[in-house]
């Protein structure tokens, strides 16, 4: 790289930028620190994953479905509490972001932020989804601890208020 900015040089320049060699792509995918994988829309099969994904979920057989690998489940994500990012990406044809609980290779629950990005065919149909996950377990545990502390403070304040009311009533 000579420090010159890449400029629009017509279709040939765009094609060369859009068609990197396979070795470079493998190196790029390995560089992602967070799990990154590609899901085929038609059958929910994981067709590509980086090493960070396997480090999290462990080895999976070819043809594994997304929810089998990440949720250790027999059925896709459903409901308002567990919105399926694949379903959202297909429905809206736009990126989607949700929070889920995934499970590690040793079956530990891990809170994750899931970002799904549509991959379109030439007809504009979503055929695959790229999914990034980011471990937010520490943040979620801190939120839970904060909520528990807040609830405890509310309870103690209510008890103090009751005590103060009783004492002031007894002093009258």
């Amino acid at each position: 790289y000579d420090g010159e900015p890449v400029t629009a040089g017509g279709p040939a320049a765009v094609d060369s930028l859009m068609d990197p060699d396979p070795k470079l792509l493998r190196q790029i995918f390995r560089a992602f620190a967070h799990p990154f994988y590609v899901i085929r829309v038609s059958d929910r099969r994981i067709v590509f994953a980086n090493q960070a994904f396997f480090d999290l979920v462990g080895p999976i057989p070819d043809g594994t479905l997304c929810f089998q690998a990440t949720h250790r489940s027999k059925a896709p994500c459903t409901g308002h509490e567990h919105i399926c990012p694949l379903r959202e990406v297909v429905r809206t044809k736009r990126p989607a972001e949700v929070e889920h609980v995934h499970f590690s290779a040793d079956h530990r629950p891990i809170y994750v932020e899931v970002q799904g990005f549509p991959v379109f065919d030439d007809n504009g149909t979503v055929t695959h989804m790229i999914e990034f996950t980011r471990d937010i377990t520490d943040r979620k545990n801190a939120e839970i601890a904060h909520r528990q502390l807040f609830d405890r403070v509310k309870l103690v304040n209510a008890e103090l208020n009751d005590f103060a009311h009783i004492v002031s009533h007894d002093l009258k």
Side-chain angles (χ1 to χ4, degrees):
Y1 180 69
D2 62 7
E4 290 297 312
V6 176
T7 58
V14 171
D15 286 345
S16 69
L17 289 175
M18 297 299 290
D19 195 19
D21 72 68
K23 182 179 178 184
L24 175 61
L25 281 177
R26 282 192 301 277
Q27 291 168 331
I28 290 169
F29 294 140
R30 279 190 206 115
F32 287 115
H34 299 291
F36 165 92
Y37 43 106
V38 178
I39 302 166
R40 186 170 44 225
V41 169
S42 62
D43 58 7
R44 297 178 183 269
R45 295 196 189 288
I46 296 172
V47 297
F48 174 83
N50 70 348
Q51 188 59 49
F53 175 79
F54 294 112
D55 291 345
L56 177 67
V57 303
I60 59 171
D62 283 346
T64 298
L65 305 180
C66 55
F67 53 86
Q68 293 170 331
T70 58
H71 296 284
R72 310 287 189 223
S73 176
K74 294 180 182 181
C77 314
T78 59
H80 294 293
E81 292 295 315
H82 232 69
I83 296 169
C84 175
L86 181 64
R87 195 174 296 131
E88 284 300 300
V89 164
V90 170
R91 183 179 67 79
T92 65
K93 295 187 174 197
R94 297 178 52 89
E97 185 173 310
V98 297
E99 288 184 6
H100 276 194
V101 177
H102 285 178
F103 291 88
S104 67
D106 60 358
H107 302 283
R108 285 179 302 108
I110 299 170
Y111 291 97
V112 293
E113 179 181 86
V114 177
Q115 295 176 328
F117 300 90
V119 177
F120 300 95
D121 66 11
D122 291 338
N123 298 318
T125 302
V126 179
T127 59
H128 294 80
M129 181 180 76
I130 299 169
E131 188 167 302
F132 287 95
T133 61
R134 189 168 59 98
D135 186 342
I136 58 169
T137 302
D138 291 342
R139 185 183 86 201
K140 293 303 279 186
N141 286 338
E143 288 173 6
I144 291 167
H146 181 265
R147 191 170 32 256
Q148 289 171 338
L149 180 60
F150 181 77
D151 291 345
R152 179 71 181 134
V153 167
K154 275 178 43 178
L155 178 66
V156 169
N157 280 342
E159 290 171 351
L160 283 172
N161 191 35
D162 290 345
F163 177 74
H165 179 72
I166 290 168
V167 169
S168 69
H169 184 267
D170 287 348
L171 292 175
K172 290 181 184 178

